[in-house]
Amino acid sequence: MLGVAVLLAEVVPQLLADGPISAPLWLVLTASIAQSALLLALAVWVGVVLAPKVGLQATVFEAAVTTRSIKSALRPLLLPGLVGGMLGGVGLFAIGSYFSPAALAEVEQQFSPSILARVLYGGITEELLLRWGLLTALVWLAWRFLQHRSGSPRPIYTWFAIVVSALIFGAGHLPAAATLVGELTTDVVVFIVTANTVFGVLFGYLYWRYGLEAAIIAHASAHLVNYFLGLAIA
């Protein structure tokens, strides 16, 4: 919710700067916060209930609510998360610099979320929604109805869940792009969905193999690497 709050604090002034909005400001804020809180609560609940059934973990958070060492739980996740974040950040910078459609690049110069919003909302909020909630649910559904709860989920089902959740992750960026660009052209849609799907697959793989926190570290650090590369090049 902290990521949601920071993002709203940046988006709302932009909405007001673009002209009068169609509903009272308090109503827009209340609806946005309520929707986000509901989705996050559902995603967290789904992950807590279903992840242990299919072998998916959030070992650092589990350690935080037990007597286990948080440091020991974090240690094996740190390197994969940081390597994934480094690769993701360099890829994000390269894609944004050399392949971004002109229409999208132009509006991004006028409005772009701060690095704090990217780290908190992208790194934590989106990972709770897309990986801990959605990906976990998809793996569980395949394991429950196709594998009939027999053994561990087959890798093909997990990969299916990773790709589908990554595609939804990519498509989920289209409404914001439509608000910025005004009209979604084919090249903008293909760019946004493809680029975010690639990163979603990376974060989903890290979640599967190392745990939720590895995906969070990778997602957050990818934004940091992209941000500092931008400063260095500029």
Side-chain angles (χ1 to χ4, degrees):
M1 286 304 297
L2 183 57
V4 173
V6 172
L7 191 64
L8 282 177
E10 296 181 8
V11 170
V12 170
Q14 177 68 23
L15 291 175
L16 294 175
D18 291 340
I21 54 180
S22 58
L25 179 59
W26 68 266
L27 183 59
V28 173
L29 287 172
T30 302
S32 298
I33 292 172
Q35 181 187 47
S36 298
L38 180 61
L39 289 174
L40 273 172
L42 178 61
V44 169
W45 176 80
V46 166
V48 169
V49 173
L50 300 184
K53 299 179 186 295
V54 292
L56 296 172
Q57 295 180 314
T59 53
V60 177
F61 289 113
E62 291 168 9
V65 295
T66 62
T67 57
R68 287 183 293 163
S69 168
I70 295 177
K71 183 178 179 181
S72 297
L74 180 62
R75 188 179 297 115
L77 310 175
L78 201 54
L79 181 59
L82 291 175
V83 170
M86 180 66 68
L87 293 174
V90 171
L92 185 61
F93 178 78
I95 291 172
S97 299
Y98 301 106
F99 300 101
S100 180
L104 193 59
E106 183 179 347
V107 296
E108 283 181 343
Q109 293 179 356
Q110 302 172 7
F111 175 73
S112 180
S114 68
I115 185 59
L116 181 62
R118 291 171 185 262
V119 168
L120 291 177
Y121 188 86
I124 299 176
T125 308
E126 287 184 342
E127 289 306 309
L128 287 173
L129 290 170
L130 276 300
R131 254 59 71 178
W132 185 242
L134 180 60
L135 193 157
T136 300
L138 291 173
V139 173
W140 181 85
L141 286 170
W143 174 75
R144 169 65 179 83
F145 294 103
L146 299 178
Q147 202 170 319
H148 306 292
R149 300 180 181 178
S150 175
S152 300
R154 295 170 185 165
I156 190 172
Y157 295 150
T158 304
W159 274 114
F160 172 79
I162 289 172
V163 172
V164 170
S165 61
L167 284 168
I168 294 174
F169 173 64
H173 289 77
L174 292 177
T179 301
L180 291 173
V181 177
E183 180 181 357
L184 290 177
T185 58
T186 301
D187 59 335
V188 170
V189 171
V190 171
F191 172 80
I192 289 174
V193 173
T194 302
N196 285 287
T197 296
V198 170
F199 294 119
V201 169
L202 171 63
F203 303 143
Y205 173 80
L206 289 170
Y207 169 40
W208 175 33
R209 286 305 189 191
Y210 299 99
L212 175 66
E213 295 85 359
I216 289 175
I217 292 169
H219 198 154
S221 57
H223 284 300
L224 287 171
V225 169
N226 175 55
Y227 175 75
F228 286 113
L229 280 175
L231 291 180
I233 298 300

